[in-house]
Amino acid sequence: MSPNILNHMISYKIHPIFVLSLLIVISSTNTQAREWYLTPNASSQLLFDSNLQLRTNRTITTNGVTRTLKPGNTFGGTLSAGGIIGSQTENSDVHIRGNVSFNRYNIRNFNSTNFFLSPETWLTVNPRNKLGISGKLFLDTTLSRVRPSVVDNTPQNLDETDDLLGVPRRRFTKSIRPEWNHSLSEKTALNLSYEFTDVTYENAAKTGRVDYSIHSGQLNLSHQLTPKLLLFSNVSATLFSTPDIHASTTYYSLQIGGQYKFSERWEAEVALGGRYSFSDFRTQKIIPVINTDGSVFLASISEKNNDSALGSLAYASITHHYSMGQLKASVTQDIRPTGNGDLQTSNQAAFSWTHHLSEHLDFSLPLSALRASSISSDTNRLDRSYYQVAPLLRWHLSPEFSLGLRYRYRYQKFDNADDSAQSHGAMLSANYHWRRRSISR
């Protein structure tokens, strides 16, 4: 996929609502015996966190008075409800997953009401070909780190803004993903997919956030070489675009790897590859300008620049299953977008342990460490280190109802900041998942 093709694709804003229309068409053209089903769920959570937004202290001067803003303790809770409604036949599955959550905290600007909708359909054309299309609509709230335009008007009561002058803004995520699965033989399979994602922020220009979109095409090939060894490869081309700041990055990647089962208890996966990226961006430069009267003033001009880079992509994991649980360790090197208009390379190490203490009580211990850095040499403002550990106890009071108690510790340090941020949090959650219900046949 050439850069010209990718650049043309960015001009077409494919809305995921289009997915719903396709679902209806596919559903209505299938004359087989059809089952309509519903799987509702509901959950709640009580939360305490010493630094929910994981921010460092900040010093500001208002009305001639210098103050240090420190993150405050956050108390609150979440109520959410949703489920899956769908229609299924022997050769098709059409369903929509939806959820709404109400988040309320003692710090007013942390409050939000979020909506999630994800339609998906699969159609088996014949024994060798399967077509799928899915989409996502996600409306939530994010806090932007922006100070008021007139700092001296900042209220002395910081709860009128929030603990660190963040401004709540709506974020709207839309995506669509058509894909095709083709069986070349009993042991070899091919998957071809394209995904478009568009993220926009309310009043983005005034909040420090940047709208962005991603076009990505992928080709995956897998082959079951032996009963224990699966080989696979992945080729992809991606365009990450931020029109508001006149920047874009095109990158191509290639990965090959395999999954191997040493025994019923031990298995491993390894994938290695590389990427080539090319970025266009603009930088602001301050230059002295001489007036006709001989005076000098400073002016800001915008310069167009570009750079290219080679990088690596990798993933490795090893998993051990035992009678009462599972252990898994992994390392990942990947590329991730940010809300500030940058692409970042992320290097992450993770470990998880799940253990069944009894018939109704489970314990899990996830740990992770992340190192993120910008893919472009133009900026390092978001380069950071991040660590998290979050042990969880979960009681299964019935097949449908469970309670969870979690402690979470987080640490973050940005390279361009003198201070680091850390938080301690505790969460008590309740979850109820109704069993799948058949509406009609």
Side-chain angles (χ1 to χ4, degrees):
M1 187 177 296
S2 69
N4 289 335
I5 295 176
L6 288 172
N7 287 326
H8 284 304
M9 289 165 61
I10 194 72
S11 62
Y12 296 98
K13 297 293 186 179
I14 304 173
H15 201 287
I17 289 294
F18 179 61
V19 177
L20 298 177
S21 301
L22 290 180
L23 298 183
I24 295 172
V25 171
I26 294 175
S27 176
S28 62
T29 56
N30 198 316
T31 58
Q32 295 181 343
R34 180 171 299 279
E35 177 194 7
W36 288 88
Y37 61 89
L38 175 67
T39 310
N41 62 74
S43 65
S44 63
Q45 178 179 263
L46 295 176
L47 175 144
F48 163 80
D49 200 294
S50 61
N51 187 356
L52 186 61
Q53 298 298 315
L54 202 57
R55 295 179 174 177
T56 58
N57 297 344
R58 287 178 60 186
T59 300
I60 67 167
T61 300
T62 59
N63 300 318
V65 178
T66 299
R67 291 178 295 161
T68 298
L69 308 184
K70 298 181 178 180
N73 293 334
T74 302
F75 303 89
T78 298
L79 290 174
S80 64
I84 304 172
I85 184 169
S87 174
Q88 192 172 36
T89 70
E90 291 182 359
N91 293 329
S92 69
D93 184 7
V94 179
H95 62 266
I96 299 177
R97 186 188 307 271
N99 181 269
V100 57
S101 63
F102 304 91
N103 310 295
R104 298 295 181 265
Y105 304 99
N106 62 312
I107 299 178
R108 186 181 62 187
N109 276 19
F110 292 172
N111 295 341
S112 66
T113 302
N114 302 330
F115 303 90
F116 175 81
L117 186 67
S118 178
E120 182 175 354
T121 187
W122 283 97
L123 177 65
T124 301
V125 180
N126 55 49
R128 287 198 167 191
N129 292 283
K130 189 176 182 181
L131 298 177
I133 185 168
S134 59
K136 180 171 69 174
L137 296 173
F138 190 21
L139 180 65
D140 69 342
T141 299
T142 183
L143 285 179
S144 57
R145 299 188 187 187
V146 57
R147 292 166 63 143
S149 57
V150 181
V151 176
D152 282 345
N153 288 337
T154 303
Q156 295 296 325
N157 179 6
L158 294 180
D159 286 342
E160 295 180 31
T161 51
D162 79 291
D163 63 339
L164 290 178
L165 301 180
V167 179
R169 297 295 184 188
R170 279 295 193 182
R171 173 173 55 189
F172 192 21
T173 301
K174 308 176 287 292
S175 74
I176 184 171
R177 178 188 172 93
E179 59 184 297
W180 169 48
N181 290 332
H182 176 63
S183 297
L184 297 172
S185 66
E186 292 184 357
K187 296 183 177 181
T188 307
L190 180 146
N191 174 272
L192 180 64
S193 65
Y194 160 75
E195 184 169 3
F196 167 72
T197 301
D198 182 68
V199 179
T200 57
Y201 297 88
E202 177 190 5
N203 295 328
K206 298 180 179 180
T207 63
R209 301 293 183 179
V210 178
D211 298 345
Y212 66 87
S213 62
I214 302 174
H215 294 264
S216 182
Q218 296 192 42
L219 176 64
N220 297 277
L221 183 65
S222 61
H223 178 69
Q224 192 74 47
L225 187 63
T226 69
K228 291 185 175 182
L229 178 60
L230 173 70
L231 299 177
F232 58 85
S233 63
N234 172 274
V235 180
S236 67
T238 303
L239 172 63
F240 176 81
S241 178
T242 52
D244 291 343
I245 59 174
H246 308 287
S248 66
T249 297
T250 302
Y251 62 94
Y252 307 90
S253 64
L254 170 65
Q255 282 186 290
I256 57 174
Q259 297 174 344
Y260 187 76
K261 292 187 177 181
F262 298 96
S263 65
E264 292 184 358
R265 293 193 170 187
W266 288 93
E267 61 183 78
E269 180 177 347
V270 176
L272 299 173
R275 61 167 174 81
Y276 169 77
S277 63
F278 183 86
S279 300
D280 286 314
F281 54 90
R282 290 185 179 273
T283 56
Q284 297 295 321
K285 184 178 181 181
I286 305 297
I287 62 170
V289 178
I290 302 176
N291 284 324
T292 54
D293 60 1
S295 60
V296 178
F297 69 95
L298 298 179
S300 175
I301 64 171
S302 177
E303 290 186 340
K304 186 175 181 179
N305 293 281
N306 59 71
D307 65 13
S308 60
L310 289 171
S312 57
L313 300 172
Y315 175 79
S317 69
I318 185 166
T319 305
H320 173 56
H321 306 273
Y322 61 99
S323 59
M324 298 297 290
Q326 173 182 291
L327 293 165
K328 182 176 181 179
S330 65
V331 292
T332 307
Q333 185 178 63
D334 204 355
I335 299 175
R336 301 179 182 179
T338 72
N340 295 76
D342 295 328
L343 276 176
Q344 287 191 318
T345 58
S346 64
N347 297 277
Q348 179 171 304
F351 171 81
S352 64
W353 174 33
T354 302
H355 184 73
H356 304 295
L357 298 173
S358 68
E359 181 182 357
H360 300 286
L361 182 62
D362 293 338
F363 172 76
S364 63
L365 178 63
L367 304 97
S368 62
L370 172 72
R371 174 61 191 171
S373 56
S374 176
I375 196 174
S376 171
S377 60
D378 176 54
T379 178
N380 66 346
R381 57 180 173 165
L382 296 180
D383 294 4
R384 64 190 176 106
S385 299
Y386 176 87
Y387 307 95
Q388 175 175 297
V389 56
L392 168 69
L393 280 173
R394 185 171 296 280
W395 290 269
H396 299 275
L397 304 181
S398 73
E400 297 86 12
F401 183 60
S402 65
L403 293 174
L405 179 63
R406 181 188 294 273
Y407 164 78
R408 180 180 67 185
Y409 172 78
R410 295 176 295 159
Y411 171 91
Q412 182 168 258
K413 174 69 170 62
F414 284 89
D415 292 4
N416 61 0
D418 295 330
D419 299 326
S420 61
Q422 60 181 338
S423 83
H424 300 270
M427 299 128 221
L428 176 63
S429 61
N431 299 276
Y432 197 96
H433 291 265
W434 282 266
R435 296 181 180 181
R436 174 167 160 164
R437 300 181 176 185
S438 180
I439 303 174
S440 65
R441 289 180 179 271

